[in-house]
Amino acid sequence: PNSSIFFRRFFTMGNSKSSDGSLLKIQTDRDMVSNGESINGTVFISLKDTFPATTLYIRAFGTMNLVWCESTIRQVREITKKSELGVFFKQKKKIVENESDGTPPGDYEVPFHIPYPEDYCPSFKYKASSPDVSAQIAYEVEAVFYNPDVKTKSLRTHYPITLKGCRVEHDQVHEANLSKDIKTGLFFQRGQCELKMVLDKNLVSENDNIEVRYDVDNSQCSADISSLNLTVERVIKLHQRQNGTRHDKVLTHTLYKQTLPGIKAGEKIEKAEAMILFKSDENTPSVDRKGLKCTYYVKLAPVVDGFLVGNNRPQVRVPIFIFFKEARKMILSCDETTFATGLIAGLGENNEAATKEP
């Protein structure tokens, strides 16, 4: 690989550089972490001249951002939701004790250790152009070299951390049953079809296969089943209350489809097996929090010959929980840098993180 690209990716940290050559950068031992695990890192400060800031602030936090459009006869309205998921780590370190003189030239290092909470939602990122929808849960570590008593220049840098995996327990619902009266045409009753589907697991990590066992009892139905559709569906639900009005967006995607043999009227299929070779999108794990819910289902749906009336299509579905258990250990790189003057948002004079010890 290109050596310069490799160097930037693995050894050049998120950094902020001032006009006088002063530099603030961060290095960590990994860029992905599972719930309950920790990240170790170091903030490096390199000063060419005396710098007016004397205190380093480090914090880790999460945010959720939702954007989608709603079309009406008169207008297209943009619905937005931005919320903080909370600051779960804060560290304050004085580089020098005498704040009035600033920090003298030199190189400084401040180590940090961030434990990630067990119960936080994983990182999530979904974007579509048609319809125009964006949903993101993101986490980052931020370092600010700043003095709240001196409203001059500050150094700020940050980089994203991907939170993967989940250690919370989920309901072990592996089975679904359905007995459905089949009606074709306008009034023609065709009898009853019974479906049963059992999965070997409902907690599914990356590159897992899902074993499916199913029964179809068509012995009491006079309609043929030409085939069976075995699918994996992802349902993303967005919610926001804006100006007193409730806004909802539901996006359904079929991510996997397999066609299984059907059966004739009056026949049965018992203890049949199928295998789902499903690769999940690592950016959209299962999420359930206020405003954003991403759910996955395994669905079995017979294709019945003849025109089915109304909501009369038989199907069974079992929810599955998609998570990602591997967290790659590496040196993190971030090319986004910021040099700021004046007060830093979130770390001003009246901010608790700026004025109190964590």
Side-chain angles (χ1 to χ4, degrees):
N2 186 296
S3 59
S4 62
I5 295 178
F6 179 87
F7 183 85
R8 288 199 305 272
R9 171 63 182 143
F10 290 95
F11 297 97
T12 304
M13 306 308 102
N15 63 83
S16 178
K17 190 173 184 179
S18 69
S19 57
D20 64 359
S22 298
L23 181 68
L24 178 70
K25 64 179 182 179
I26 304 173
Q27 176 177 304
T28 66
D29 62 348
R30 60 172 68 185
D31 69 344
M32 296 183 187
V33 62
S34 297
N35 296 71
E37 295 182 343
S38 301
I39 284 181
N40 296 307
T42 304
V43 177
F44 297 90
I45 305 172
S46 180
L47 303 179
K48 300 299 183 182
D49 297 307
T50 300
F51 202 80
T54 57
T55 305
L56 178 70
Y57 299 90
I58 307 171
R59 65 174 186 160
F61 59 94
T63 57
M64 181 173 71
N65 292 284
L66 308 177
V67 180
W68 73 94
C69 293
E70 288 185 352
S71 298
T72 63
I73 297 176
R74 296 181 178 180
Q75 63 180 347
V76 177
R77 178 185 303 170
E78 184 178 77
I79 308 300
T80 62
K81 180 182 179 71
K82 183 174 183 179
S83 59
E84 299 289 337
L85 303 183
V87 176
F88 53 88
F89 174 83
K90 290 191 295 184
Q91 180 176 328
K92 178 181 176 181
K93 175 68 175 179
K94 283 189 175 182
I95 305 303
V96 293
E97 293 298 326
N98 190 353
E99 297 182 355
S100 61
D101 295 336
T103 303
D107 296 326
Y108 306 88
E109 298 182 9
V110 179
F112 60 84
H113 173 82
I114 303 176
Y116 273 71
E118 290 269 3
D119 57 349
Y120 268 45
C121 286
S123 299
F124 184 93
K125 186 176 182 180
Y126 174 81
K127 185 173 179 60
S129 56
S130 181
D132 190 9
V133 178
S134 175
Q136 184 177 39
I137 293 177
Y139 298 92
E140 65 179 70
V141 179
E142 179 185 61
V144 180
F145 190 37
Y146 173 67
N147 189 339
D149 297 325
V150 180
K151 298 179 181 179
T152 56
K153 57 185 177 181
S154 300
L155 289 173
R156 174 183 181 271
T157 186
H158 65 94
Y159 62 83
I161 292 292
T162 300
L163 183 59
K164 290 183 176 258
C166 187
R167 296 184 179 180
V168 298
E169 295 296 327
H170 289 264
D171 295 333
Q172 301 296 308
V173 180
H174 300 169
E175 181 177 324
N177 297 274
L178 174 73
S179 181
K180 186 78 171 180
D181 291 326
I182 304 300
K183 182 190 292 185
T184 59
L186 294 178
F187 306 104
F188 190 26
Q189 295 283 352
R190 305 300 296 270
Q192 193 172 78
C193 177
E194 296 184 1
L195 304 174
K196 179 181 179 181
M197 180 173 64
V198 181
L199 309 183
D200 69 328
K201 64 172 76 73
N202 77 331
L203 295 177
V204 182
S205 64
E206 66 269 33
N207 300 322
D208 269 355
N209 296 330
I210 306 172
E211 296 180 10
V212 181
R213 297 189 302 276
Y214 62 95
D215 299 338
V216 182
D217 187 349
N218 205 37
S219 60
Q220 304 301 316
C221 184
S222 60
D224 292 341
I225 295 176
S226 59
S227 61
L228 297 163
N229 288 331
L230 181 64
T231 58
V232 177
E233 287 187 347
R234 179 184 64 201
V235 181
I236 298 177
K237 296 181 179 180
L238 310 178
H239 166 71
Q240 165 68 329
R241 185 170 292 276
Q242 188 167 298
N243 299 326
T245 303
R246 179 187 175 99
H247 301 275
D248 296 282
K249 186 77 172 180
V250 179
L251 303 163
T252 302
H253 305 89
T254 299
L255 305 178
Y256 174 90
K257 183 176 180 179
Q258 182 180 161
T259 302
L260 304 173
I263 58 173
K264 298 291 185 180
E267 296 181 352
K268 292 183 180 181
I269 297 177
E270 294 182 332
K271 297 181 180 179
E273 296 183 352
M275 181 74 72
I276 295 177
L277 309 176
F278 175 59
K279 290 188 176 181
S280 307
D281 178 0
E282 65 177 13
N283 293 317
T284 56
S286 297
V287 167
D288 186 3
R289 68 170 294 115
K290 186 176 181 180
L292 172 60
K293 186 173 184 178
C294 179
T295 311
Y296 290 80
Y297 299 94
V298 175
K299 186 171 73 173
L300 181 68
V303 179
V304 181
D305 288 350
F307 173 70
L308 296 178
V309 178
N311 187 21
N312 195 43
R313 301 182 182 276
Q315 64 179 31
V316 289
R317 68 179 191 176
V318 176
I320 57 175
F321 185 87
I322 303 294
F323 71 103
F324 302 91
K325 60 187 179 183
E326 296 298 330
R328 293 181 286 119
K329 293 184 178 181
M330 62 172 60
I331 301 298
L332 174 69
S333 149
C334 179
D335 294 327
E336 295 184 8
T337 62
T338 302
F339 173 68
T341 59
L343 293 177
I344 300 297
L347 288 172
E349 291 178 322
N350 298 322
N351 186 272
E352 180 179 270
T355 57
K356 295 183 180 181
E357 293 294 335

